[in-house]
Amino acid sequence: MECVYTGKTKDVYSLENGNYLLKFKDDVTGENGVFDPGANTVGLTIEGAGKAGLRLSKFLFEILRDKGVPTHYIDANIEEATMTVKPAKVFGNGLEVICRYRAVGSFLRRYGMYAKEEQPLDALVEFTLKDDSRQDPPITEDALVMLGILSSEEYKAIKDLTKKIAGIVKDELAKKGIELYDIKFEFGRVGKDKQIALIDEISGGNMRAYKDGKSIEPLLLEKLMLED
């Protein structure tokens, strides 16, 4: 296998059959040793975080597959902390799409003059550029279109898909008495028909989840979600 990309929380290897292997790490994003799914840097290493993120990703990707939602997921090997995925072409140099149900994190930092902490948001969708050097700046539909990153039709398709997937994840968490505050996705084009599909992962490191008013870190979220 050839390592083609080294990321903050995963490394990517190319396979001979044209698919890719994602190797999950124990690193999570944050700052000053505090977990933050919206951060642009690795803030801490939590032993077991890689496998926990993979278990939850596997669980949720397979639910999405059963519901006919397009993704790049093929299968996962928990012991080796790897996930096999279809090749995907990202939009531009990569976009992150956030669905927000409550005002926290960067949304509150930007709009704190108007927003109250944890106030309800009605599945608000935001697009940001994957650009660590510029701290993943938010970008509007008009700018995405004018810069040739997305067409208006692609923007709408991704926004609708984001709301659908976030709603499925939110419902799954609710079954365990857990509330989803926000979640971050990535999308790309997959297959010969270049279908827009969910890529990357769906783990505790990509969302803010709360139970009984307390934030749940990735390892605990995986345990609560997958315990019998």
Side-chain angles (χ1 to χ4, degrees):
M1 296 187 300
E2 178 187 359
C3 183
V4 296
Y5 177 76
T6 299
K8 292 187 284 289
T9 60
K10 292 183 298 299
D11 292 335
V12 182
Y13 296 85
S14 60
L15 300 175
E16 290 183 357
N17 62 6
N19 293 327
Y20 288 87
L21 194 73
L22 308 184
K23 176 73 173 180
F24 284 63
K25 305 177 184 180
D26 286 341
D27 296 333
V28 297
T29 56
E31 293 182 0
N32 302 318
V34 179
F35 166 64
D36 181 354
N40 299 311
T41 57
V42 171
L44 63 161
T45 298
I46 303 174
E47 184 177 354
K51 288 184 179 179
L54 179 58
R55 286 190 195 96
L56 189 55
S57 288
K58 178 180 185 292
F59 173 74
L60 293 171
F61 269 121
E62 291 178 359
I63 287 173
L64 294 177
R65 182 170 62 192
D66 291 344
K67 293 181 179 293
V69 176
T71 76
H72 72 160
Y73 175 82
I74 297 175
D75 58 34
N77 184 321
I78 303 300
E79 286 305 310
E80 295 183 3
T82 59
M83 184 164 71
T84 306
V85 301
K86 303 170 190 174
K89 182 173 177 56
V90 299
F91 297 94
N93 292 318
L95 295 172
E96 292 182 338
V97 189
I98 304 102
C99 188
R100 300 185 183 277
Y101 293 101
R102 287 191 179 271
V104 289
S106 61
F107 183 90
L108 192 64
R109 289 193 292 272
R110 279 183 273 129
Y111 307 124
M113 181 181 289
Y114 300 96
K116 294 181 180 179
E117 186 171 3
E118 297 188 7
Q119 80 173 67
L121 300 172
D122 187 16
L124 174 71
V125 175
E126 293 186 316
F127 286 65
T128 68
L129 299 178
K130 286 195 74 174
D131 186 343
D132 289 345
S133 66
R134 295 176 175 83
Q135 299 185 334
D136 295 349
I139 186 167
T140 64
E141 177 184 359
D142 285 349
L144 285 165
V145 173
M146 290 180 188
L147 294 173
I149 299 170
L150 290 179
S151 67
S152 291
E153 292 75 18
E154 289 169 333
Y155 177 90
K156 184 180 187 304
I158 292 173
K159 183 176 179 180
D160 289 346
L161 200 51
T162 295
K163 287 189 175 186
K164 180 176 182 177
I165 297 169
I168 292 170
V169 175
K170 186 175 187 288
D171 289 345
E172 289 299 321
L173 267 61
K175 293 176 183 178
K176 299 290 186 175
I178 299 168
E179 183 179 354
L180 180 64
Y181 275 31
D182 61 29
I183 187 165
K184 178 174 61 180
F185 298 126
E186 294 186 35
F187 293 91
R189 290 196 174 280
V190 172
K192 293 180 180 179
D193 58 356
K194 298 181 180 179
Q195 183 178 33
I196 294 175
L198 179 69
I199 62 172
D200 197 46
E201 62 182 280
I202 326 170
S203 69
N206 285 22
M207 66 181 84
R208 288 187 180 87
Y210 283 66
K211 186 176 178 68
D212 301 325
K214 295 182 179 179
S215 176
I216 305 172
E217 291 196 345
L219 260 69
L220 179 57
L221 179 62
E222 180 266 339
K223 181 180 179 181
L224 292 173
M225 285 298 296
L226 302 183
E227 66 184 1
D228 295 331

